Amino acid sequence: MTTQLLEAKSKNTTAEMERAAENEGPSPAHMRELIASGEVVLPVNKKHEKLVPLAIGKNLTTKVNANIGTSPEVADVKSELCKLDAALEAGADSVMDLSTGGDIDEVRAAIVENCTVPVGTVPMYQAAIDVGGPEEMSIDSYLQVLEKHARDGVDFATVHAGVTREALPLLERRLVGVVSRGGSFMIRWMREHGKNSFLYEHFDDVLDIAEEYDVTMSLGDGLRPGGIEDATDEAQIHELKILAELAERCKERGVQVMIEGPGHIPLHEVEENVRLEKAYCRNAPFYVLGPLPTDIAPGYDHLVGAIGGALAGAYGADFLCYVTPKEHIGLPGPEDVREGVIASRIAAHVADIAKDVPGAKEMDREMSRARADRDWDAMLERALDPRRFSDLMDGESGEDQCSMCADFCALKLYREKSSHEQKAHH
Ligand code: SF4
């Protein structure tokens, strides 16, 4: 079996590259070149039947991922499919199934079967749960789970292979510690066994499976900061350098790779974080969680994430993982998913304007024109979230002014000719 990267390196433009290019600006040949250079990934698992190929990276629109999945306390297939619908309806570009409760295999199969966008997973969760806890994991149990996910049609997988023993002393200085589940699982395992990470030590075995099924590696940042106080610290940068080394090994094997990033980062450090990832990882697509530029707004973390995501995207991050209003509080429900996706999509579009992605500014121009004309139908058509627009229009007249300034409608006053101008016209 081949991979999109191997095909691109051999200058073969696959049907999936053509399809992904069709939905974006670049020509299929340019898309192929970007994939060959590792600046774009095209996560396509051939077993994912309903998938509409979607590319992530340089010169493309900023993409948005929605995390769904069960927890040990809330585990029900129907609820997850409901969240999947909410994510897709709101316009998520990909979905990750982070299930840790109930029948994980059943949930994943149902999500892949019903999903038209790329699906990602974090195999380490199930690798730990299936054997009775993180301490009991082994490279064999991990590879079994990874292969199962690959066989089920998972398009990209988070692999926390950058969490190594050397970083453990660096974590002592942290205020929050470790907030990545995958990162904490690996640390538990390393402490228990007194050995280095089995994922790092056996990374070639991981790549065997990734190559066979063309699962894109999303190298997880298991040591991402969990608070502003810990942002851009030594542990985080140490891991990033290891991820850069692993990314090279992926590319040498023909395995597509992207890099996951923080997390809690103050706004003035966002640019530096994007710059470091691009420099160390030779422009591999950067997939950020938020980032969240403040810790103090629980209940509004979708807005916090959108602020950080817009800036990260503008500086070159390629893929935004959404954050929902339920972040730091509990497992999100369908309405939280919807709000999270919309907030991240706003951030992604704001970034696309700044990045000068073809077509982005035109969308704003069209909306401005509709507003100037007070053409409410055209505004509805162009609204990023038409449902919200429509709800708020309830009770408005829909005529040539709104209830904000009513007869003092600035647009109307500016556009209507004065009596003096009318006389002059006659
Ligand atoms: S009434 Fe005011 S807010 Fe409403 S359309 Fe006119 S200028 Fe805009």
Side-chain angles (χ1 to χ4, degrees):
M1 222 167 170
T2 183
T3 68
Q4 296 293 331
L5 178 53
L6 289 171
E7 292 294 327
K9 281 181 174 175
S10 313
K11 297 200 179 346
N12 293 331
T13 308
T14 63
E16 290 82 7
M17 291 175 203
E18 279 178 13
R19 189 86 193 274
E22 237 170 61
N23 300 330
E24 301 245 9
S27 65
H30 186 45
M31 181 70 85
R32 189 194 68 219
E33 283 161 12
L34 291 166
I35 293 169
S37 68
E39 291 165 294
V40 162
V41 292
L42 180 57
V44 175
N45 184 324
K46 294 249 164 67
K47 310 242 164 175
H48 185 178
E49 286 172 11
K50 279 196 183 164
L51 176 70
V52 178
L54 172 118
I56 302 160
K58 191 178 171 181
N59 293 355
L60 306 177
T61 54
T62 309
K63 304 299 188 306
V64 167
N65 173 74
N67 287 340
I68 58 173
T70 60
S71 80
E73 284 185 24
V74 189
D76 168 50
V77 181
K78 266 195 203 143
S79 312
E80 292 314 315
L81 289 179
C82 195
K83 283 194 244 172
L84 173 65
D85 281 348
L88 295 179
E89 260 175 50
D93 296 301
S94 72
V95 163
M96 287 192 80
D97 171 21
L98 307 186
S99 290
T100 53
D103 189 335
I104 296 175
D105 289 336
E106 190 191 355
V107 174
R108 184 178 58 257
I111 288 174
V112 173
E113 194 190 325
N114 289 286
C115 193
T116 48
V117 298
V119 175
T121 58
V122 186
M124 189 183 283
Y125 299 165
Q126 198 178 9
I129 293 161
D130 279 0
V131 293
E135 296 88 348
E136 305 303 320
M137 292 187 294
S138 67
I139 184 63
D140 292 335
S141 67
Y142 181 88
L143 293 173
Q144 269 172 25
V145 170
L146 176 63
E147 185 153 22
K148 186 158 63 169
H149 287 212
R151 266 199 315 264
D152 281 355
V154 165
D155 304 288
F156 63 101
T158 296
V159 176
H160 296 93
V163 181
T164 57
R165 265 178 113 188
E166 298 154 359
L168 298 182
L170 306 176
L171 294 167
E172 302 293 322
R173 293 169 221 164
R174 281 195 167 176
L175 174 70
V176 184
V178 170
V179 291
S180 150
R181 273 187 290 192
S184 71
F185 283 14
M186 185 47 80
I187 290 169
R188 283 295 289 248
W189 186 90
M190 290 191 293
R191 282 188 185 147
E192 180 72 19
H193 296 270
K195 289 184 184 162
N196 198 12
S197 157
F198 59 77
L199 282 179
Y200 182 79
E201 297 294 332
H202 297 274
F203 194 61
D204 279 330
D205 298 336
V206 172
L207 291 182
D208 286 342
I209 295 172
E211 188 188 347
E212 187 181 344
Y213 295 88
D214 198 5
V215 175
T216 297
M217 292 285 93
S218 185
L219 296 180
D221 56 336
L223 304 183
R224 66 170 175 270
I228 292 295
E229 180 80 14
D230 297 337
T232 329
D233 70 352
E234 249 187 291
Q236 185 199 323
I237 301 304
H238 180 270
E239 185 184 24
L240 179 62
K241 289 178 183 167
I242 295 176
L243 298 185
E245 169 206 321
L246 296 172
E248 284 310 302
R249 287 171 63 185
C250 291
K251 289 183 208 173
E252 277 162 21
R253 287 284 302 270
V255 171
Q256 303 189 82
V257 62
M258 55 188 167
I259 308 290
E260 295 186 12
H264 294 248
I265 297 285
L267 215 52
H268 62 285
E269 290 179 16
V270 168
E271 180 182 7
E272 180 70 353
N273 271 266
V274 177
R275 196 188 63 73
L276 287 175
E277 186 275 344
K278 294 286 173 186
Y280 288 143
C281 306
R282 296 210 299 138
N283 294 324
F286 196 23
Y287 176 23
V288 291
L289 176 52
L292 299 168
T294 180
D295 301 341
I296 65 158
Y300 297 94
D301 276 323
H302 58 313
L303 303 182
V304 177
I307 293 168
L311 200 66
Y315 284 126
D318 307 278
F319 194 17
L320 308 181
C321 185
Y322 85 166
V323 179
T324 77
K326 210 55 194 293
E327 185 76 14
H328 303 112
I329 298 170
L331 193 73
E335 195 50 32
D336 303 311
V337 168
R338 192 184 123 72
E339 283 188 43
V341 171
I342 296 290
S344 280
R345 282 189 58 212
I346 296 169
H349 178 69
V350 168
D352 288 347
I353 297 172
K355 283 195 245 192
D356 209 11
V357 171
K361 274 187 209 142
E362 285 67 26
M363 292 163 79
D364 294 74
R365 192 178 301 132
E366 290 291 306
M367 180 58 102
S368 294
R369 193 171 288 131
R371 282 193 180 138
D373 295 343
R374 280 140 293 144
D375 183 342
W376 307 99
D377 292 334
M379 283 185 246
L380 176 68
E381 221 173 277
R382 285 156 181 78
L384 184 136
D385 179 5
R387 193 172 111 188
R388 176 94 173 137
F389 182 82
S390 189
D391 287 351
L392 294 177
M393 276 298 288
D394 194 30
E396 289 292 332
S397 69
E399 288 169 10
D400 66 347
Q401 60 193 38
C402 76
S403 58
M404 176 77 182
C405 345
D407 287 345
F408 301 121
C409 174
L411 289 164
K412 215 159 78 177
L413 290 174
Y414 173 72
R415 287 188 158 201
E416 273 172 9
K417 287 193 168 35
S418 66
S419 50
H420 180 71
E421 285 166 323
Q422 277 172 6
K423 267 186 218 151
H425 184 71
H426 289 295

